[in-house]
Amino acid sequence: MSVAANAEPRQMSDAEVVEAYLTASMIPDPDTAATYMKPGTIITFTGGREFDHPRGPTGFNAQRYRWVKKKMDRFDVCPGAEETVVYSIGTLYGEWIDGTPFEGNRYVDRFVVKGGLIVKMDVWNDSAERILLQRGIEA
């Protein structure tokens, strides 16, 4: 038997769990994204909107963007005794619902990871401010 056949699969780091979640979310494949979350996890989205499945943010984004992706610049990992906080920091790019392209829209996502699964997620970005500016309202 080969050494590879005896090897245990490597467990993902907490940052890798977050990156895998975000990658699936951008496809968008909310059902695959959900496999990286503990069932019932609350996602607090921009504006304080709460969702209990990745389908929620995907549906909300479909009202705001024709498509949107994240340029993940970095992950800040803050390990704790029983959980890890992982921040994903970067920018959004894509097209607004009217087809106008955009890039450089800052975001910060905060995840709490426990036992290899996401148990809480908070999302912030500059989209609302950019939409205001599009409409001639100083943000």
Side-chain angles (χ1 to χ4, degrees):
M1 189 173 264
S2 74
V3 174
N6 289 329
E8 291 289 321
R10 184 181 73 80
Q11 186 174 357
M12 296 171 76
S13 72
D14 294 335
E16 289 170 331
V17 168
V18 167
E19 184 174 16
Y21 169 87
L22 291 172
T23 299
S25 295
M26 285 189 289
I27 291 174
D29 184 352
D31 292 324
T32 295
T35 65
Y36 299 100
M37 302 187 107
K38 182 177 178 182
T41 292
I42 297 299
I43 302 165
T44 305
F45 213 61
T46 58
R49 296 165 186 85
E50 290 188 346
F51 304 104
D52 63 0
H53 191 279
R55 282 187 294 268
T58 298
F60 178 78
N61 282 341
Q63 299 171 46
R64 183 177 274 188
Y65 312 107
R66 194 173 276 182
W67 64 272
V68 63
K69 303 288 183 213
K70 290 185 175 184
K71 179 180 175 286
M72 296 177 261
D73 291 332
R74 73 176 200 259
F75 294 93
D76 292 346
V77 180
C78 308
E82 296 185 21
E83 63 189 28
T84 302
V85 175
V86 179
Y87 292 91
S88 174
I89 301 167
T91 56
L92 303 175
Y93 63 97
E95 289 183 9
W96 297 110
I97 201 71
D98 69 359
T100 304
F102 70 90
E103 63 183 353
N105 183 344
R106 299 175 309 159
Y107 82 86
V108 175
D109 293 341
R110 180 185 183 272
F111 296 84
V112 178
V113 182
K114 188 172 185 175
L117 292 173
I118 297 164
V119 298
K120 182 162 178 41
M121 179 183 178
D122 296 285
V123 176
W124 297 275
N125 64 55
D126 286 338
S127 292
E129 287 75 14
R130 287 175 170 237
I131 291 170
L132 288 172
L133 289 173
Q134 282 180 337
R135 296 191 175 145
I137 301 168
E138 190 172 326

